[in-house]
């Protein structure tokens, strides 16, 4: 029976191998400290946090997330440890909420490894605090207990660490927040959460910011509104009685529903007893097949992340248990020589191998099920979700409305490198994309010639731009290019030759300044129209379509003013339909120092070669990103762009 604790209450723990599960509704930092009998923490080596996530018997998440699972093995903590305190803090450098009073009350559960809840605690009553000691596990007369603490600190993480006796608490807290900011910059954004009414909320403001209020229940899905009218997600709406054309500009998805989506249809026969169900495409909730497939892909992503985490945790436990048994057996000098020591080693290794084999069997079973699901889902994906080698692209037609998401690559883990999960990002884009052309980005990049790497990076950017143009209705997406040195002419040929660009690629400092000034003006005017509720007052020459700016070889051709404008577009552009796609080597811009750190963090970093730099939002695995490539000898890219250009010229969709 689960013990529902209130502040100050304790409960005896029936086992020593546990999980601490945290659900906060907004990204939080989760950590833990090891303390002595008085709760004093004797140095940073007794603190587990995202920058240093592992201690003996303890492992925490490597990044901020709305949900956490902390692994605890109380038998493996040092003998001098008498308290394990679980800490939660709001990340301070990512633009999210700065006090717990502004978010839902965090919920913490102590569970067994199988997920059975032992004790739970809801941290109510928090207000100005930005950090909180949630609960503590402590020894009492040889037993371990859990106590609900809920002690908040308005001074944040630094004040909480200082209260536990940590020297250099301010510096340590700063380093933790910096590690979290770096981790969130590389994290794949999770699917938007559902409101109680079932609406899928779009994160227009970025990770950690309050979600916009749900729309009132709606009827059938409306058609896409004109680009300069309609309510905006999270923005101001026209007052009562406002006529057509007086509302703010909408860049929200036009087909968002406000009532709960129906369950997936029963398309597969029931499974035989003892055998897993046969996977089917669209086996998820959603209003349309597209939404069901989107949710199914994210479900596969989460399943693979969690089953791999369970396997790795089991292997770590097996290794830790073997080490402890060997230490106990060999602590007696008489067992270090002769047959007794050898037998102890053999027995400990046999137990380790048994536990590892059992964990691998469970992992292989889950991987086989996911591989079978992937085999039926991949052929059913629409063009926006499909790889370039999918037959769906050969039947491509310019769409009538924008899709929910766009595939920008694949992800996989080393446990099964053949099982690829499509990396889908929501549309309209909520953050810019940075294709890293630097050779220091990864081992594969370091082994690639510099010129070839830059060409691969630009080819990758062109392919992403082509996919974006292909999945938007005709005339509703425009692409601009800054190629100050003119070094990307060959890579840009498909875009230039097909005539889909808004203008010729801008070259030289003058071209850079002209494009940036035009897009900055657009952001300013649309923002003013939204604030004033006066979309009908926009200049007639303003292009209200979504805009994408491709920047090659940054910062070549950029002066200080241009850099400032680029940062402005990265920060303010996505909310009003202006997006960045940068191809750059961060080392080339090192002269700017930390001034550009917010720019790099605001962009989703991808690479032109395989690299394990992206993290999932659940357990923080390092996933290998594989860029999408067109099949050798295929002209699918040119054929798709030809259709897009023809639709733009004729003003209709074929």
């Amino acid at each position: 029976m689960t013990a529902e604790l209130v502040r100050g209450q304790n409960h005896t723990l029936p086992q020593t191998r546990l999980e601490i599960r945290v659900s906060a509704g907004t990204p939080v930092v989760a950590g833990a400290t090891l303390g002595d009998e008085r709760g004093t923490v004797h140095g940073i080596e007794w603190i587990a946090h995202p920058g240093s996530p592992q201690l003996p018997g303890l492992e925490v998440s490597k990044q901020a997330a709305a949900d956490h699972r902390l692994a605890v093995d109380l038998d493996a903590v040092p003998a001098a440890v008498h308290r394990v305190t679980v800490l939660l803090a709001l990340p301070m450098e990512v633009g999210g909420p700065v006090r717990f009073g502004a978010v839902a009350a965090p919920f913490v559960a102590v569970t067994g490894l199988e997920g059975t809840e032992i004790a739970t605690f809801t941290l109510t009553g928090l207000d100005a605090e930005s950090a909180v000691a949630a609960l503590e596990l402590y020894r009492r007369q040889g037993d371990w207990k859990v106590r609900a603490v809920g002690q908040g600190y308005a001074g944040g993480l630094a004040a909480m660490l200082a209260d536990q006796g940590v020297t250099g608490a301010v510096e340590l807290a700063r380093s933790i927040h910096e590690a979290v900011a770096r981790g969130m910059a590389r994290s794949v954004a999770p699917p938007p959460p559902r409101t109680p009414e079932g609406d899928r909320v779009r994160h227009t403001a970025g990770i950690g910011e309050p979600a916009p209020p749900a729309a009132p229940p709606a009827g059938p899905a409306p058609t896409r509104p004109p680009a300069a009218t309609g309510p905006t997600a999270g923005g101001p709406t026209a007052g009562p009685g406002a006529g057509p054309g007086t509302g703010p500009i909408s860049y929200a998805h036009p087909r968002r529903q406000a009532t709960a989506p129906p369950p997936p249809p029963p398309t597969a026969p029931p499974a035989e007893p003892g055998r897993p169900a046969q996977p089917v495409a669209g086996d998820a909730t959603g209003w349309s097949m597209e939404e069901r497939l989107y949710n199914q892909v994210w479900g596969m992503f989460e399943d693979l992340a969690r089953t791999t985490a369970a396997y790795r945790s089991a292997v770590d436990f097996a290794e830790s248990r073997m080490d402890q048994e060997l230490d106990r057996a060999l602590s007696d000098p008489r067992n270090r020589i002769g047959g007794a020591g050898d037998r102890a080693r053999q027995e400990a290794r046999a137990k380790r191998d048994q536990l590892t084999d059992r964990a691998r069997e469970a992992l292989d079973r889950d991987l086989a099920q996911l591989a079978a699901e992937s085999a039926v889902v991949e052929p059913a994906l629409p063009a926006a979700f499909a790889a370039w080698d999918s037959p769906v692209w050969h039947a491509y037609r310019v769409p009538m409305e924008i899709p929910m998401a766009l595939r920008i690559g694949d992800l996989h883990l080393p446990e099964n490198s053949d099982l690829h999960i499509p990396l889908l990002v929501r549309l309209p884009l909520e953050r810019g994309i940075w294709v890293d052309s630097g050779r220091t980005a990864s081992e594969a990049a370091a082994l690639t010639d510099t010129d070839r790497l830059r060409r691969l990076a630009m080819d990758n950017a062109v392919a992403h731009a082509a996919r974006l143009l292909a999945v938007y209705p005709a005339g509703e997406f425009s692409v601009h290019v800054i190629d100050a040195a003119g070094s990307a002419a060959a890579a840009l040929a498909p875009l230039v030759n097909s005539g889909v660009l808004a203008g010729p690629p801008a070259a030289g400092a003058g071209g850079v300044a002209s494009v940036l000034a035009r897009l900055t003006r657009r952001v300013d005017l649309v923002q003013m129209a939204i604030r004033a509720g006066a979309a009908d007052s926009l200049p007639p020459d303003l292009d209200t379509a979504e805009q994408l700016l491709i920047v090659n070889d940054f910062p070549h051709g950029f002066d200080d003013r241009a850099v400032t404008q680029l940062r402005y577009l990265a920060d303010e552009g996505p909310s009003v339909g202006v997006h960045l796609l940068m191809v750059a080597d961060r080392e080339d811009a090192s002269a700017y120092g930390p001034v550009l750190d917010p720019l790099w963090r605001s962009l989703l970093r991808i690479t032109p070669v395989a690299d394990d730099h992206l993290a999932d939002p659940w357990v923080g695995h390092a996933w290998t990103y594989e860029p999408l490539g067109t099949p050798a000898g295929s002209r699918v890219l040119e054929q798709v762009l030809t259709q897009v250009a023809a639709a733009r010229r004729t003003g209709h969709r074929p």
Side-chain angles (χ1 to χ4, degrees):
M1 182 175 179
T2 304
E4 298 181 0
L5 305 181
V6 296
R7 189 174 277 105
Q9 189 176 2
N10 60 46
H11 182 73
T12 301
L13 294 172
Q15 59 197 78
T16 55
R17 291 200 68 210
L18 308 163
E19 279 191 350
I20 311 295
R21 303 188 179 190
V22 178
S23 179
T26 191
V28 297
V29 182
T33 60
L34 305 180
D36 60 16
E37 297 93 331
R38 296 182 297 275
T40 302
V41 179
H42 295 278
I44 60 173
E45 65 275 8
W46 281 33
I47 304 173
H49 57 81
S52 178
Q54 291 183 325
L55 293 178
L58 182 64
E59 183 173 1
V60 304
S61 303
K62 297 179 182 178
Q63 63 187 48
D67 298 290
H68 292 271
R69 289 189 181 187
L70 285 62
V72 180
D73 182 0
L74 295 174
D75 287 336
V77 300
V81 172
H82 286 257
R83 294 188 192 180
V84 179
T85 304
V86 177
L87 315 175
L88 303 178
L90 293 170
M92 291 289 103
E93 298 184 12
V94 295
V98 296
R99 61 186 187 91
F100 275 109
V103 300
F107 174 80
V108 183
V110 181
T111 76
L113 297 184
E114 72 287 351
T116 303
E117 290 184 347
I118 299 170
T120 64
F121 176 41
T122 302
L123 285 76
T124 58
L126 299 176
D127 187 10
E129 299 89 345
S130 59
V132 59
L135 52 79
E136 66 179 12
L137 314 177
Y138 64 98
R139 295 185 202 256
R140 180 63 54 86
Q141 298 177 349
D143 294 328
W144 283 94
K145 296 185 176 183
V146 57
R147 176 186 291 118
V149 180
Q151 174 64 54
Y153 295 83
L157 189 57
M160 181 165 54
L161 294 174
D163 191 43
Q164 297 191 30
V166 178
T167 57
V170 174
E171 293 76 11
L172 177 59
R174 184 182 303 115
S175 69
I176 292 173
H177 284 305
E178 290 174 353
V180 169
R182 291 192 299 269
M184 294 185 74
R186 72 186 187 95
S187 176
V188 178
R194 293 187 183 278
T195 65
E197 293 79 12
D199 188 24
R200 186 173 294 282
V201 178
R202 178 172 178 268
H203 292 292
T204 55
I207 296 176
E209 296 191 12
T223 57
R224 180 177 175 86
T229 61
T232 183
T237 56
T246 60
I249 298 172
S250 173
Y251 291 102
H253 195 282
R255 293 180 287 117
R256 196 66 66 234
Q257 295 281 352
T259 56
T267 55
E272 297 179 14
R275 299 186 61 183
Q278 294 299 311
V280 294
D283 187 17
T285 60
W287 284 101
S288 63
M289 188 60 174
E290 178 194 48
E291 186 173 3
R292 291 198 296 271
L293 287 169
Y294 172 83
N295 290 334
Q296 187 172 14
V297 167
W298 270 97
M300 294 164 58
F301 187 14
E302 182 174 4
D303 287 347
L304 182 54
R306 296 201 185 280
T307 193
T308 304
Y311 168 72
R312 293 179 181 179
S313 177
V315 171
D316 290 343
F317 170 71
E319 294 287 346
S320 174
R321 177 174 173 174
M322 182 186 69
D323 292 340
Q324 293 176 45
E325 291 180 351
L326 288 175
D327 289 342
R328 285 196 296 266
L330 301 180
S331 61
D332 186 346
R334 292 171 296 182
N335 292 336
R336 296 176 189 169
I337 57 175
D342 292 338
R343 284 194 301 272
R345 293 186 185 93
Q346 291 175 0
E347 291 174 0
R349 288 168 182 156
K351 291 180 182 177
R352 185 270 315 270
D353 292 342
Q354 182 182 18
L355 290 173
T356 302
D357 291 344
R358 194 183 307 161
R360 186 71 211 193
E361 288 176 5
L363 175 67
D364 288 342
R365 183 177 61 250
D366 291 342
L367 290 178
Q369 182 70 11
L370 285 169
E373 187 173 8
S374 177
V376 299
V377 168
E378 189 72 41
L381 295 177
F385 299 179
W388 283 115
D389 58 358
S390 171
V392 72
W393 284 107
H394 296 289
Y396 169 77
R397 293 292 182 269
V398 177
M400 301 290 289
E401 54 188 14
I402 70 171
M404 294 185 64
L406 182 77
R407 186 173 184 167
I408 63 170
D410 290 339
L411 299 172
H412 64 82
L413 291 171
E415 281 75 9
N416 189 340
S417 58
D418 294 330
L419 179 55
H420 286 212
I421 304 296
L423 174 55
L424 304 179
V425 295
R426 290 298 292 261
L427 293 180
L429 293 174
E430 297 165 3
R431 61 192 293 197
I433 297 174
W434 164 32
V435 184
D436 191 349
S437 61
R439 296 188 69 222
T440 60
S442 67
E443 182 179 351
L447 297 175
T448 306
D449 176 74
T450 300
D451 292 338
R452 172 168 170 73
L453 192 64
R454 292 180 184 272
R455 173 60 191 264
L456 287 174
M458 197 60 199
D459 287 342
N460 194 256
V462 169
H464 290 314
R467 290 176 75 89
L468 284 164
L469 284 164
V471 302
Y472 271 79
E476 294 191 17
F477 197 86
S478 297
V479 177
H480 310 261
V481 176
I482 289 178
D483 184 22
S487 60
L492 290 168
L495 298 177
V496 174
N497 295 341
S498 61
V500 295
L501 294 179
V512 171
S514 175
V515 171
L516 291 177
R518 187 161 63 250
L519 292 178
T520 301
R521 170 179 175 267
R522 183 192 183 284
V523 171
D524 289 340
L525 290 174
V526 174
Q527 283 186 335
M528 286 189 289
I530 289 176
R531 295 190 188 104
D536 54 349
S537 64
L538 288 170
D541 64 335
L542 188 79
D543 183 5
T544 57
E546 299 261 332
Q547 310 287 313
L548 177 71
L549 173 61
I550 302 176
V551 179
N552 182 45
D553 276 349
F554 174 81
H556 187 87
F558 282 71
D559 56 19
D560 290 344
R561 175 179 172 81
V563 169
T564 301
Q565 289 176 315
L566 190 70
R567 286 186 55 187
Y568 176 73
L569 292 178
D571 292 339
E572 304 294 335
S575 63
V576 291
V578 177
H579 314 284
L580 287 184
L581 177 53
M582 290 186 59
V583 179
D585 179 357
R586 190 168 181 173
E587 293 297 318
D588 292 344
S590 59
Y592 288 95
V595 172
L596 289 180
D597 285 351
L599 172 64
W600 304 120
R601 285 201 297 264
S602 70
L603 305 173
L604 174 63
R605 174 178 170 262
I606 59 177
T607 51
V609 293
D611 182 37
D612 59 348
H613 67 282
L614 289 176
D616 65 78
W618 300 287
V619 294
H621 290 318
W623 292 72
T624 298
Y625 167 80
E626 293 273 1
L628 294 176
T630 55
S634 171
R635 295 190 56 81
V636 61
L637 194 70
E638 290 79 2
Q639 292 168 2
V640 167
L641 290 175
T642 298
Q643 288 201 44
V644 171
R648 290 163 65 101
R649 287 193 300 269
T650 59
H652 70 276
R653 306 170 183 86

